[in-house]
Amino acid sequence: MTWPRVGSKPAGLREYLEPARRCASSSVSLARTIGGSMTTAILAATAAIIGVAVGRLWDSRAESARWHRDQRIASYQRLAEAFRTSYDDAQRVAFADPNSAEFAEMVRTINVQSNHFWHDALSAVWFHGSPGAVATATNLDRSLITLHENAGREMFSDEDWGRDRVPARRAFEQFIESVRAELGQPPVTHHFYEDTATPQPSLG
């Protein structure tokens, strides 16, 4: 910045002030540039923080959804396994002699151990399952109770067992169909148990 020389042509006030004006203008421009850069940096940092927060929230929700789905599927699998155990127990009781010395102990063991395993699995479906799965699982539970009650009354023949087991088998198939539909699996035309494809024999 150059000021008017002494001894030269008299300078007006405007000439004396012009260098100062240019200096001030440059300072303002510099300040605006710095201020603009800072604003941009602040906005970029804020956007990054918001992006991280939203990403974590999304990941948390996705992880929660995956956890619930895994728990739901695991409860369905557990109930299917428990059904097989309970069904086999009912068959053992049905063909055992109720007058034998071992019969009472066998029934007691089943009631204490196997039935607890079944009810734990059923409770898990009630905790994590969909309304449709809970409904078919509850119907399956009722069918198993009836099967166990009938099995404990008298010694079954092959014909008796072939008749009385059908409702429980059908209830299990309904549970499977409900779960497959919920998981988006296509329907199947076959039956899990062969004897459920035919009408149930009349009990009268």
Side-chain angles (χ1 to χ4, degrees):
M1 179 175 63
T2 305
W3 296 91
R5 295 189 302 275
V6 178
S8 61
K9 183 178 179 179
L13 179 60
R14 186 169 185 174
E15 290 183 50
Y16 278 102
L17 295 179
E18 181 62 24
R21 187 192 68 78
R22 289 199 299 270
C23 181
S25 178
S26 298
S27 299
V28 171
S29 298
L30 179 61
R32 287 177 176 175
T33 300
I34 295 175
S37 299
M38 291 181 64
T39 300
T40 302
I42 292 173
L43 290 176
T46 302
I49 293 173
I50 293 175
V52 170
V54 171
R56 288 181 177 176
L57 178 61
W58 179 264
D59 289 343
S60 177
R61 290 184 175 181
E63 182 64 26
S64 177
R66 284 193 295 270
W67 183 86
H68 284 291
R69 176 181 171 85
D70 291 344
Q71 292 296 315
R72 189 169 67 251
I73 295 175
S75 71
Y76 297 161
Q77 179 65 35
R78 186 180 177 188
L79 189 74
E81 295 169 356
F83 168 76
R84 186 68 242 186
T85 299
S86 183
Y87 177 87
D88 288 347
D89 286 338
Q91 185 175 16
R92 287 171 54 203
V93 173
F95 286 101
D97 182 1
N99 298 317
S100 65
E102 298 82 11
F103 183 81
E105 179 62 24
M106 179 180 62
V107 172
R108 188 190 71 82
T109 301
I110 290 174
N111 290 335
V112 171
Q113 298 179 0
S114 301
N115 283 354
H116 286 182
F117 177 54
W118 166 257
H119 285 111
D120 288 346
L122 181 63
S123 297
V125 174
W126 272 79
F127 290 149
H128 304 290
S130 66
V134 169
T136 53
T138 302
N139 183 54
L140 176 57
D141 178 56
R142 303 296 185 265
S143 298
L144 272 178
I145 291 174
T146 301
L147 182 61
H148 275 270
E149 290 176 346
N150 293 341
R153 289 195 179 101
E154 59 183 356
M155 188 173 180
F156 272 36
S157 65
D158 290 339
E159 183 181 355
D160 293 334
W161 177 250
R163 178 193 64 226
D164 281 28
R165 70 184 181 180
V166 173
R169 288 186 169 201
R170 281 184 172 159
F172 182 64
E173 285 190 344
Q174 290 171 358
F175 173 73
I176 292 178
E177 291 170 1
S178 174
V179 169
R180 285 183 57 85
E182 179 184 333
L183 300 180
Q185 299 291 343
V188 294
T189 57
H190 294 78
H191 289 266
F192 191 84
Y193 291 109
E194 183 179 356
D195 55 0
T196 59
T198 58
Q200 181 179 358
S202 173
L203 298 180

